[in-house]
Amino acid sequence: MIWTNDPTRLMLVAGMGAAYALVCLAPYLRTRRKRLAAARAKAEAADAGWIVAYASQTGNAEELAQQTAATLKLAGIPVRLAELSELGAEDLQGAERALFLVSTYGEGDAPDAAAAFAGRLMTTSLPLAQLHYAVLALGDTAYAQFCGFGRALDQWLQAQGAQSLFPRVEVNRSSDAAIGQWRQQLSHLAGTSDAPDWSAPAFEAWCLSERVQLNAGSAGEPIYHLELEPASGVLPAWQSGDLVQVAAPADPSRAREYSIASIPADGRVHLLVRLHTHDDGSHGVASGWLTQSAALGASVQLRLRQHQRFRLNGNAERPLILIGNGSGIAGLRGHLKARALAGQGRNWLLFGERNAAHDYHYRAELDGWQRDGVLEKLDMVFSRDQAERRYVQDRLAEQAAEVRAWVDQGAAIYICGSLEGMAAGVDAALEATLGRDGLDALAAAGRYRRDVY
Ligand SMILES: Cc1cc2nc3c(=O)[nH]c(=O)nc-3n(C[C@H](O)[C@H](O)[C@H](O)COP(=O)(O)OP(=O)(O)OC[C@H]3O[C@@H](n4cnc5c(N)ncnc54)[C@H](O)[C@@H]3O)c2cc1C
Ligand SMILES: Cc1cc2nc3c(=O)[nH]c(=O)nc-3n(C[C@H](O)[C@H](O)[C@H](O)COP(=O)(O)O)c2cc1C
């Protein structure tokens, strides 16, 4: 045939043949590519091993999650340790095994950082039949909704078809027995018996070196500034935002938490303790002992606790809006001291108490910080200095435009003090100013942090 001798024609025919073959092969190649991608994703998920997710307000669940992850790693199991809020639908759907360690706050609510997860993901339905999981729920039976969030998470996972590895473990006030039960289940799952030591750091002796009442004549309960030094003479490290736990002699098994009001550069741990009085007139166990019965120079059993969620961490370079009331000035004072030391002046303090004449805690210090440019804005709100009661959340609402401007400039918001009244009121005022989504986004980005009790 003549045309077979024509090289141009030959190339044309060969090219058309190749193109035809490609068209025919394309669906096959596409399917194959998809299959390979799916296999790769599955292999990656398997590589990622187990998810250990935590939701924690003051660090208990986070610490236990770190210990859980360490135990799995020791057994050679790859682990992804993540805050619950970092997980999306695709993470849960791509995982085969997940352990959740979550505490409960407010009245049966999720810790702040997990509010968006609870509000968004846990209100949708998500097929999770491939997921095997377990829940460690932290709580306190003194609250009506014991382990409310852990229970809600467990129920939601079950409703999505996820399969429980073992029944939910509930921990009342960090009870060693329940934590031991979780540890035992974990060792069983991981096939290991040499789990690392999980015991919390021991209490140590500190000396009560100074105690001053700050609010003589106040309409409120007496509030005291305390200073403590380690008996060992060696000051441990901490950061502003951290807490201490105090074991009172009359109730050493139930430690009370206090926000640290100083920084290591002060050389001492400062606390601000409000004397708690029960309905029958008797004093609170820990606050009564610290402020009334312990003599100056007494030995106090104390341990420091990292409070990651209330530290400055990634917010150290941002402007700060610090909001609080009553003894909540303690945690905010720690941050202001850290900011003064770092030469960071974009700080706005909104603080509420009863009467300026008696309850203007640390006034000279606050005046000094205003003079030195550490406090760019100071709003003191005294509820009883005028006919109608006014609170810090009212001032916040009036300053909505200013709040928005600071947040637009990258500010982070820190709240310290009463859960009842103040924290909810402040949250509502911020929601009115920034919108629920805006506030949730700030919380998820670590720019809305609370130490409320
Ligand atoms: C994160 C955090 C930070 C805190 N920071 C500070 C701070 O900086 N300054 C400050 O003054 N306080 C702070 N607190 C509060 C503090 O930890 C104590 O709760 C407070 O001092 C009262 O303790 P108390 O032993 O004096 O009173 P308690 O004797 O414990 O009494 C307090 C209340 O608890 C109830 N109660 C007591 N025992 C039990 C029980 N066994 N079961 C159920 N209910 C019980 C009582 O009815 C009473 O209403 C903080 C709390 C938290 C969680
Ligand atoms: C202000 C406040 C509110 C709390 N609300 C609840 C609650 O509603 N239900 C519960 O079981 N525990 C509640 N708790 C107890 C905590 O869940 C418990 O102390 C837990 O160990 C905290 O763990 P975390 O440090 O990981 O946040 C509350 C504690 C505080 C300080």
Side-chain angles (χ1 to χ4, degrees):
M1 289 195 288
I2 300 164
W3 61 267
T4 48
N5 292 334
D6 179 344
T8 316
R9 279 183 170 226
L10 261 181
M11 276 175 69
L12 203 68
V13 168
M16 279 168 67
Y20 179 70
L22 259 182
V23 169
C24 294
L25 277 174
Y28 166 74
L29 288 175
R30 245 195 324 269
T31 314
R32 189 176 134 83
R33 210 168 37 236
K34 268 192 193 155
R35 221 181 290 133
L36 283 174
R40 211 167 33 238
K42 202 167 172 198
E44 273 168 17
D47 271 357
W50 299 32
I51 290 178
V52 174
Y54 60 89
S56 182
Q57 190 80 27
T58 62
N60 289 324
E62 182 175 357
E63 207 171 301
L64 289 168
Q66 282 162 353
Q67 287 161 334
T68 297
T71 301
L72 292 177
K73 281 184 189 156
L74 200 75
I77 298 169
V79 179
R80 175 179 169 198
L81 179 65
E83 208 168 7
L84 198 56
S85 59
E86 290 168 30
L87 300 182
E90 61 291 352
D91 295 301
L92 293 180
Q93 290 186 303
E96 287 180 4
R97 282 171 190 263
L99 303 177
F100 298 92
L101 299 93
V102 303
S103 69
T104 292
Y105 262 76
E107 288 162 19
D109 305 326
D112 288 340
F117 182 96
R120 300 253 164 68
L121 221 50
M122 285 171 63
T123 50
T124 61
S125 71
L126 202 67
L128 291 178
Q130 91 299 343
L131 184 69
H132 297 75
Y133 76 97
V135 173
L136 180 75
L138 276 72
D140 186 329
T141 47
Y143 294 90
Q145 312 272 342
F146 176 55
C147 290
F149 180 58
R151 289 178 182 181
L153 177 65
D154 193 5
Q155 275 155 18
W156 178 75
L157 288 164
Q158 263 176 42
Q160 312 315 309
Q163 297 157 56
S164 151
L165 289 160
F166 52 84
R168 180 181 63 244
V169 175
E170 296 186 339
V171 184
N172 179 25
R173 288 188 207 137
S174 302
S175 132
D176 286 340
I179 293 170
Q181 198 187 327
W182 172 263
R183 219 176 141 209
Q184 206 172 10
Q185 292 280 15
L186 198 63
S187 300
H188 180 65
L189 283 177
T192 170
S193 55
D194 53 350
D197 184 14
W198 281 34
S199 49
F203 283 88
E204 283 175 350
W206 288 62
C207 170
L208 179 59
S209 304
E210 181 140 3
R211 180 172 55 208
V212 185
Q213 186 182 349
L214 296 185
N215 63 344
S218 171
E221 296 271 23
I223 197 163
Y224 293 82
H225 169 92
L226 270 51
E227 297 190 8
L228 297 115
E229 292 171 293
S232 67
V234 183
L235 195 69
W238 75 88
Q239 288 185 25
S240 63
D242 284 351
L243 299 163
V244 297
Q245 285 187 325
V246 171
D251 189 5
S253 65
R254 197 163 84 85
R256 307 301 195 273
E257 318 225 42
Y258 296 94
S259 313
I260 306 180
S262 57
I263 55 176
D266 292 310
R268 287 178 174 181
V269 159
H270 297 181
L271 306 179
L272 206 64
V273 179
R274 170 95 67 187
L275 174 63
H276 192 94
T277 304
H278 299 144
D279 291 343
D280 65 2
S282 62
H283 289 156
V285 173
S287 63
W289 179 64
L290 284 170
T291 68
Q292 311 295 310
S293 29
L296 265 192
S299 177
V300 176
Q301 289 295 309
L302 181 150
R303 70 178 173 210
L304 300 185
R305 281 195 58 208
Q306 293 184 8
H307 192 184
Q308 290 291 350
R309 290 225 43 85
F310 202 66
R311 284 182 170 186
L312 292 181
N313 285 342
N315 294 323
E317 304 296 320
R318 296 179 176 280
L320 293 187
I321 305 178
L322 305 161
I323 305 169
N325 71 332
S327 57
I329 192 71
L332 305 180
R333 180 180 185 247
H335 284 324
L336 282 168
K337 279 175 165 281
R339 300 283 278 186
L341 193 71
Q344 295 270 8
R346 293 230 57 205
N347 302 302
W348 175 8
L349 174 66
L350 290 114
F351 183 73
E353 256 286 4
R354 287 185 172 169
N355 299 104
H358 307 290
D359 305 306
Y360 203 140
H361 316 311
Y362 302 115
R363 179 171 198 162
E365 205 170 57
L366 294 177
D367 286 349
W369 281 330
Q370 263 196 305
R371 261 197 320 274
D372 301 344
V374 173
L375 259 181
E376 184 175 318
K377 242 171 109 54
L378 175 63
D379 279 286
M380 299 295 290
V381 187
F382 292 101
S383 58
R384 300 183 181 203
D385 277 355
Q386 59 285 308
E388 90 289 4
R389 297 278 160 90
R390 289 178 45 73
Y391 300 101
V392 76
Q393 54 266 38
D394 302 323
R395 182 68 61 88
L396 202 59
E398 286 161 14
Q399 303 250 359
E402 192 71 7
V403 170
R404 228 175 279 121
W406 277 60
V407 168
D408 286 346
Q409 289 156 21
I413 305 172
Y414 282 73
I415 320 286
C416 194
S418 311
L419 179 69
E420 260 174 50
M422 191 275 296
V426 165
D427 190 82
L430 289 172
E431 181 177 343
T433 303
L434 304 169
R436 191 70 244 169
D437 286 352
L439 202 50
D440 282 351
L442 278 189
R447 287 172 57 194
Y448 178 38
R449 298 178 177 236
R450 307 198 302 172
D451 175 9
V452 293
Y453 44 87

